């Protein structure tokens, strides 16, 4: 049972990381969307994930646990990087100034 749960944990962790991909692609394609990223929230999640990695390494001593958390941290860092670069870019591009910001698409694509 323990081995089955370990495999399921690894698979579900990879699936959870894959679920970041559509959102990351949306940020990649639409620079305006990047301004909606909460740096506090994503930074906080990364901090919690780093504690999880340390816990996995030093307390549980589970490389699988640490690896899954580490892969999730990479996806979280990608989102955070998009948010930071959006803030660093300063103002909106000239062709976007004066235009209303687009709302988030309600579809699940």
């Amino acid at each position: 049972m323990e081995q089955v749960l370990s495999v399921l944990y690894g698979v579900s962790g990879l699936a959870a990381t894959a679920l970041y991909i559509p959102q990351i692609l949306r940020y990649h394609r639409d620079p305006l969307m990047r301004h909606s990223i909460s740096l506090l929230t994503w930074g906080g999640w990364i901090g919690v994930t780093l504690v999880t990695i340390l816990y996995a390494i030093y307390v549980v001593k589970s490389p699988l646990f640490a690896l899954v958390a580490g892969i999730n941290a990479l996806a979280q860092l990608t989102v955070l990087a998009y948010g930071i670069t959006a803030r660093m870019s300063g103002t909106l591009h000239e062709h976007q100034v004066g235009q209303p910001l687009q709302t988030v698409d309600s579809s699940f694509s």
Side-chain angles (χ1 to χ4, degrees):
M1 182 65 162
E2 186 176 322
Q3 188 167 0
V4 170
L5 288 174
S6 293
V7 169
L8 286 175
Y9 176 75
V11 170
S12 68
L14 293 175
T17 301
L19 292 172
Y20 283 99
I21 293 172
Q23 194 65 43
I24 289 169
L25 290 175
R26 181 167 281 195
Y27 291 139
H28 182 74
R29 291 184 196 122
D30 187 356
L32 285 177
M33 291 284 298
R34 299 173 195 170
H35 288 276
S36 69
I37 297 170
S38 170
L39 302 183
L40 177 63
T41 300
W42 285 94
W45 285 335
I46 291 165
V48 169
T49 301
L50 293 177
V51 171
T52 302
I53 293 168
L54 293 173
Y55 179 80
I57 293 169
Y58 294 108
V59 177
V60 182
K61 299 182 185 339
S62 171
L64 175 63
F65 192 0
L67 177 67
V68 169
I71 292 170
N72 273 284
L74 289 175
Q76 293 167 347
L77 283 166
T78 302
V79 173
L80 184 63
Y82 275 119
I84 290 170
T85 56
R87 302 318 189 278
M88 291 175 61
S89 68
T91 59
L92 298 174
H93 297 289
E94 285 181 25
H95 70 280
Q96 296 165 333
V97 174
Q99 294 180 2
L101 292 177
Q102 297 174 353
T103 57
V104 176
D105 185 349
S106 62
S107 69
F108 291 96
S109 58

